[in-house]
């Protein structure tokens, strides 16, 4: 987003991401904390499927970029972190994630270090 961009927000409740082939591409920002990652991880997997379909067939919905911001107390509480890293590697520049930890007391593993900010 840039200054004065229009954005839509959904907080909690019943939500989903199900674009249709003729819909305009959108850029998504997903924000999760703790176990709140569950529905957003499902959306992220769907987005990966859309990117894979797009690359394989060249038709259907054209997916924009996705940025996931995910916070937890420490890296051990970041659910699905290996899966999320795998998606970022599979779709570089299309799916990105920034992890944030608030109470990390141990060393952060090398695989996560470039993607983690926090204490």
């Amino acid at each position: 987003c840039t200054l004065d961009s229009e954005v839509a927000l959904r907080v909690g409740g019943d939500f989903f991401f199900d674009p249709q082939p003729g819909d305009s591409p959108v850029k998504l920002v997903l924000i999760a904390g703790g176990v709140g990652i569950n529905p957003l991880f499902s959306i992220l997997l769907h987005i990966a499927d859309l990117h894979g379909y797009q690359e394989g067939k060249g038709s259907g919905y054209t997916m924009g970029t996705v940025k996931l911001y995910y916070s937890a107390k420490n890296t051990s509480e970041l659910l699905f972190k290996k899966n999320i890293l795998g998606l970022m590697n599979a779709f570089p520049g299309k799916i990105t994630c920034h992890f944030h930890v608030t109470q990390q007391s141990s060393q952060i593993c090398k695989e996560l270090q470039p993607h983690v900010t926090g204490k």
Side-chain angles (χ1 to χ4, degrees):
C1 295
T2 60
L3 186 60
D4 296 325
S5 291
E6 184 176 322
V7 297
L9 294 176
R10 285 292 309 241
V11 179
D14 184 22
F15 62 96
F16 56 91
F17 180 69
D18 188 25
Q20 300 305 304
D23 291 349
S24 297
V26 295
K27 294 179 181 178
L28 291 180
V29 176
L30 304 173
I31 303 170
V35 296
I37 189 65
N38 282 297
L40 298 184
F41 183 64
S42 178
I43 289 172
L44 198 60
L45 290 175
H46 182 56
I47 289 164
D49 285 343
L50 291 171
H51 277 307
Y53 181 79
Q54 182 180 338
E55 289 176 1
K57 304 246 182 188
S59 62
Y61 178 72
T62 302
M63 187 62 225
T65 59
V66 178
K67 293 185 184 211
L68 171 65
Y69 294 90
Y70 180 20
S71 179
K73 288 181 184 177
N74 54 56
T75 56
S76 66
E77 291 191 12
L78 292 168
L79 305 178
F80 311 117
K81 61 185 168 268
K82 290 186 181 197
N83 303 85
I84 293 168
L85 290 174
L87 292 173
M88 288 193 310
N89 290 331
F91 302 100
K94 295 178 180 179
I95 296 176
T96 57
C97 181
H98 304 280
F99 298 110
H100 182 78
V101 292
T102 59
Q103 298 176 20
Q104 185 75 22
S105 58
S106 61
Q107 183 72 20
I108 297 171
C109 71
K110 281 192 172 209
E111 186 180 32
L112 284 175
Q113 282 180 2
H115 310 287
V116 176
T117 59
K119 191 173 182 183

